[in-house]
Amino acid sequence: RIRAVPATRYLPVVMVTSLNGEAERVKALEAGADDFIAKPVDHAEVVARVSSLTRAKRGRDQLNAAYIDLRRSESLRDSLTQMLVHDLRTPLTSLLLSLSMLDDGQTGNLNPTQQHLLNIGRRSGKNLLNLVNDILSVAKLESGQVLVNLFPASIPALVEEALIEVAHMVTDRQATLLREWPQELPLVSVDADLLHRVLVNLISNALKYSPLRSTIEVGAVLLEDSPVGRAIKVWVQDDGPGISPEHHQRIWDKFGQSEMGENNRASTGLGLTFCKLAVEAHGGFIGLDSELGQGSTFHFCLPLQPKAK
């Protein structure tokens, strides 16, 4: 009963009894006792054992208090972050709209140098806006506030739309894109907006971290049997420096970093965190195959009959 009450759940319990057999000791410990003393009782032994248990409880209490403080600090950090990014999104949207008006020639024609600088500004502004959206989306997905709107969609069509968005990166990196999927691929019920952002994140990462003139492969295939049943598997394969096995789990964490080969790839990790949460919201899963010096293949599976979270 002591263990059933939260206030006394971790209170040290020493059982004092005249029974001294092994079976009695085991029974006492199974009943919830922390220690066992057989009669006749030695005063010094009792003091020593109680002192030891008290120190252990004090340490546990301190650890629990530190954990509560950490959770409180994390909650405050997340709240401040969301407040800041909300405040950032409006001026960023206005900035991009103004740059778009310049690009459309509404203020006059631009010379080549001005056009080049404008393009840099638009891309940088859009990258920053994407980061802001990732922060907000991760917070909403974690708290279950995102409504996943499922509609039948073609994976190849969604891939092509994502490739259009990263076309400038393909040109800048002088990359070769390979598409690999069968001619007939069944539709899958997905939230097109969420999946579009997953694909853009994975493909842009592949381009960003691969050498110039690399080959990037984007593929899809139907799996008749997978951990989520019949599913569509999608992958993005790059020629980058690869990721060491000890970082394979960490890269999905918020604010995670990964060092790959000789290149220090510091990243907030928010893009990959978003990808993981978005895929899991479809009832699917995401993974990575990679070794240092051998490139990386990011892949995810989406069930044909999803149970959206």
Side-chain angles (χ1 to χ4, degrees):
R1 286 182 293 180
I2 292 176
R3 299 302 186 207
V5 179
T8 59
R9 181 170 299 161
Y10 301 110
L11 187 70
V13 176
V14 179
M15 183 167 288
V16 181
T17 176
S18 59
L19 301 175
N20 195 24
E22 182 177 345
E24 286 76 15
R25 290 175 179 270
V26 171
K27 187 175 180 180
L29 295 174
E30 289 179 344
D34 296 289
D35 207 345
F36 182 99
I37 300 177
K39 295 178 181 179
V41 175
D42 180 81
H43 181 267
E45 180 184 5
V46 172
V47 171
R49 289 177 181 269
V50 171
S51 296
S52 176
L53 291 172
T54 302
R55 285 195 300 270
K57 183 180 185 302
R58 188 181 301 116
R60 183 186 183 91
D61 290 343
Q62 291 173 348
L63 183 61
N64 187 57
Y67 174 74
I68 292 174
D69 288 342
L70 178 61
R71 293 296 301 271
R72 187 180 295 114
S73 297
E74 288 180 341
S75 177
L76 177 60
R77 181 200 65 192
D78 291 343
S79 296
L80 289 174
T81 300
Q82 291 184 50
M83 181 179 66
L84 287 172
V85 295
H86 270 294
D87 290 344
L88 278 172
R89 188 156 62 171
T90 298
L92 267 176
T93 302
S94 299
L95 173 63
L96 288 172
L97 179 60
S98 299
L99 293 177
S100 180
M101 294 174 64
L102 289 173
D103 193 33
D104 292 340
Q106 296 186 30
T107 60
N109 295 327
L110 303 177
N111 62 45
T113 300
Q114 291 171 330
Q115 185 66 53
H116 176 68
L117 294 175
L118 176 61
N119 291 339
I120 293 176
R122 289 190 66 184
R123 291 176 190 173
S124 298
K126 189 170 184 179
N127 288 338
L128 185 55
L129 183 59
N130 287 339
L131 176 58
V132 167
N133 288 333
D134 280 346
I135 294 173
L136 291 174
S137 296
V138 165
K140 290 180 179 179
L141 283 166
E142 286 181 324
S143 61
Q145 296 178 16
V146 171
L147 179 62
V148 181
N149 298 305
L150 300 177
F151 293 97
S154 163
I155 292 296
L158 290 173
V159 170
E160 294 297 345
E161 291 176 4
L163 291 176
I164 291 174
E165 185 162 333
V166 300
H168 66 280
M169 292 186 67
V170 176
T171 301
D172 292 344
R173 305 296 295 172
Q174 303 174 44
T176 299
L177 284 174
L178 298 181
R179 299 161 172 83
E180 184 66 36
W181 50 71
Q183 188 171 5
E184 296 295 331
L185 201 60
L187 301 180
V188 59
S189 293
V190 297
D191 185 308
D193 290 336
L194 286 178
L195 194 59
H196 174 80
R197 290 174 60 188
V198 170
L199 290 167
V200 169
N201 264 308
L202 296 181
I203 297 171
S204 61
N205 278 351
L207 290 164
K208 181 178 180 181
Y209 295 117
S210 294
L212 289 174
R213 295 177 290 278
S214 293
T215 297
I216 307 298
E217 179 180 285
V218 185
V221 67
L222 172 64
L223 299 180
E224 292 294 342
D225 187 23
S226 80
V228 292
R230 294 186 76 227
I232 299 292
K233 179 180 180 180
V234 182
W235 69 86
V236 178
Q237 181 178 349
D238 64 47
D239 290 334
I243 304 172
S244 58
E246 60 265 29
H247 293 304
H248 283 194
Q249 293 301 317
R250 188 180 179 189
I251 61 170
W252 307 107
D253 296 338
K254 287 191 299 183
F255 313 111
Q257 294 182 343
S258 177
E259 293 186 3
M260 305 181 185
E262 297 179 355
N263 299 322
N264 186 356
R265 281 178 55 168
S267 169
T268 62
L270 287 173
L272 291 178
T273 302
F274 166 78
C275 291
K276 182 175 185 294
L277 293 171
V279 169
E280 290 176 351
H282 285 79
F285 63 91
I286 193 167
L288 164 68
D289 297 322
S290 182
E291 293 184 15
L292 283 177
Q294 299 187 21
S296 302
T297 301
F298 286 85
H299 53 83
F300 60 89
C301 282
L302 299 172
L304 292 186
Q305 299 296 328
K307 296 179 181 179
K309 298 180 181 179

